[in-house]
Amino acid sequence: LEYALKGMQLDKSLNDSTANSYLYLHLANAFLQNGFLMQAQEYINKSLDFNSNNIYSMYVKVYIQYAETKDINRTNEDLLKIYAIDTTRLDLIQEVAKSYYIKEDYQGAYKFYNKLLKAREEQNIYLFLHEDVKIAWTYMQLGYDGKSDTLIKQFRDYINHDKSIYKGLMMTEYYAYKGEYDLA
């Protein structure tokens, strides 16, 4: 939030509408992640005013709405509408899959997580590895134990090399997945 606020102190007149849209997006996201929903809503609307086609802003707006309403069904529906705008975006595929996962609709999550895994393999890219624990859980819920075992091993390897502030959170997810709740 501190750095997003500092970014807003820059001379925005030097930016085009897309750059300004992203400045407001980052600020809205920072407010959202810190629990300031009214401010998040205000700045995500400004972001979309500068660029109504900013897909990142569209789905952050959906998450602000989710934070306010806790209506995962509406969130899922809204993310599907955004996904329909561009079905090639891996970030959207991952977001839609995650919304199904949160709903505990593992068939829906499976459909989108498979798209993500297929794209990662075909394009030889390693995006959203932090989501592998959710993908592994989805596969396990549907009886694909071999695939879930592979994914959870990959997730553990990813955590071992992670140096981000999220390492503790991911370790918690890992131990919860393994049923080691005291460690989680």
Side-chain angles (χ1 to χ4, degrees):
L1 181 55
E2 176 185 349
Y3 289 106
L5 287 166
K6 285 181 180 179
M8 294 308 296
Q9 294 173 5
L10 300 173
D11 185 356
K12 290 178 277 311
S13 69
L14 302 174
N15 295 333
D16 62 12
S17 60
T18 298
N20 279 325
S21 178
Y22 278 92
L23 277 174
Y24 285 110
L25 162 66
H26 293 306
L27 185 56
N29 193 35
F31 275 121
L32 170 62
Q33 291 187 27
N34 284 281
F36 298 103
L37 301 183
M38 286 178 38
Q39 293 87 347
Q41 188 68 46
E42 175 186 346
Y43 289 109
I44 205 64
N45 289 337
K46 286 183 180 185
S47 173
L48 289 164
D49 287 345
F50 276 104
N51 180 358
S52 62
N53 296 316
N54 185 335
I55 286 181
Y56 292 116
S57 293
M58 290 178 197
Y59 68 74
V60 167
K61 184 172 180 135
V62 169
Y63 285 123
I64 294 167
Q65 171 189 299
Y66 175 68
E68 292 172 339
T69 67
K70 308 293 189 262
D71 185 345
I72 191 60
N73 291 316
R74 181 173 175 194
T75 299
N76 178 255
E77 291 168 13
D78 290 345
L79 287 171
L80 284 167
K81 289 175 190 170
I82 298 168
Y83 170 72
I85 295 169
D86 185 349
T87 60
T88 66
R89 288 184 56 143
L90 298 182
D91 59 330
L92 287 174
I93 291 170
Q94 182 268 148
E95 295 296 333
V96 171
K98 185 169 37 178
S99 71
Y100 278 112
Y101 175 86
I102 293 167
K103 286 175 43 151
E104 298 182 7
D105 178 345
Y106 298 114
Q107 286 293 341
Y110 177 81
K111 175 183 170 186
F112 284 90
Y113 280 141
N114 271 345
K115 289 179 185 198
L116 177 63
L117 294 178
K118 183 178 178 186
R120 285 187 346 191
E121 185 178 318
E122 287 176 352
Q123 299 175 30
N124 197 30
I125 54 175
Y126 300 97
L127 291 173
F128 306 114
L129 296 177
H130 64 283
E131 292 292 310
D132 280 359
V133 68
K134 292 177 188 74
I135 302 170
W137 185 262
T138 298
Y139 277 70
M140 186 177 67
Q141 294 302 307
L142 297 175
Y144 302 116
D145 295 335
K147 187 68 174 170
S148 66
D149 290 343
T150 300
L151 285 162
I152 203 64
K153 286 177 188 168
Q154 285 175 200
F155 182 69
R156 179 60 184 183
D157 289 342
Y158 173 71
I159 295 171
N160 288 341
H161 296 95
D162 183 56
K163 296 189 183 340
S164 76
I165 63 171
Y166 300 107
K167 185 171 187 159
L169 174 63
M170 289 187 288
M171 289 299 298
T172 300
E173 291 177 310
Y174 174 79
Y175 286 125
Y177 175 92
K178 297 297 249 177
E180 299 177 27
Y181 303 116
D182 289 340
L183 287 171

